[in-house]
Amino acid sequence: MTSIRSQLTPLSDALHDSPLLSVQSLSVFFRTAGGAVARAVDGVSFTVDAGETVCVVGESGCGKSVTAMSLLRLVAPPGKIEPGSAIRFDGRDLLTLPDEALRDIRGQHIAMIFQEPSTALNPVLTVGSQVAEVVRVHTTASRHEAWQRAVEMLTQVGIADPAVRAKQYPHELSGGMRQRVMIAMALVMHPKLVIADEPTTALDVTIQAQILELLREMRAKNGMALLLITHDLGVVAEMASRVIVMYAGRVVEEAPVSALFSAAAHPYTEGLLAAVPRLGVEQTRLTTIPGTVPPSTDWPTGCRFRDRCAYAFDRCAIEEPTLLQVGSAHRARCHLIEEPERRVPRADRLT
Ligand code: SF4
């Protein structure tokens, strides 16, 4: 019988030409108490190459976090990944992998950093022992060796007096320091992929910048790929090489970061970019996208963005657009790509 360990190693034997992570037709639904089906993620496909930083952007309720949780099968019931979805990591099918093998991948080869470190850290264990525990779970290191590695890792993520801090509890540390501990836990096994879900949202602006800089440094040093979930286009501009824009459970645009910022093709992306305050540009008021993301129990027919779109025309109400090629590695889900002459904003939709 094949052992769990032999199913997992060596991960680096996987085909070098294939992406590190490949998500194909991922759909996740939740059955609500009233019996309705919420299709939170609906046919999402994307890839992440080794060493690449890909940002997933969109407003709350667009399916970004559910997508991230699905990658490690962390969607809690009543959430369910639909048959036909496929997630491959380094040549392995994560959706059919036995639980024990998947546990070995989590933390060792794919790590997650969450938005709120205070809820992700165990309040009754010292931070050093929480980092050391990751080492103990995935290696044969002794308690002492694991502790040494934990302290080393706390040093690498910029925690001053790491030997002292390691013996402290999460509540004794500032929010920024707790997030550094989370990053130490995520990186201590040198994973190939780190998934970070809004890792700086709960932090002050100056600490945010430090944490992003730390992630960038650690990515460059360890060569890991980073899948960064964020609603903040400033973070995207700083970090991403490629961007995936999600709206109403769908990918609506995918592009290299420079193409997205210079020539966004989807009106939703255009709206997100217009809503970013710009330094040195006089703005009498901030532009906003009118309305809100529709509920996932009731996605509109046709284009899901049509009720908020300044360019919506009759075809948008009856036919859902598919992802169409806009340029090199740039795709968008909008009828305007086939009918560019329709890109004339409706006066009643301008904000
Ligand atoms: Fe707007 Fe129509 Fe494009 Fe949807 S398909 S984004 S409604 S123009």
Side-chain angles (χ1 to χ4, degrees), residues 265-268 302-313 315-317 319-321 333-337 342-343 349:
H266 197 283
Y268 179 57
C303 174
R304 295 178 182 182
F305 186 58
R306 70 186 157 87
D307 287 344
R308 306 175 72 190
C309 181
Y311 308 106
F313 55 103
R315 184 181 174 193
C316 307
E319 189 187 328
E320 186 176 8
R333 189 186 289 279
C334 176
H335 294 314
L336 293 175
I337 293 154
R342 300 275 195 168
R343 198 176 270 274
R349 294 278 175 93

Side-chain angles (χ1 to χ4, degrees), residues 42-55:
D42 200 357
V44 163
S45 301
F46 64 91
T47 59
V48 179
D49 288 333
E52 190 183 26
T53 299
V54 175
C55 283

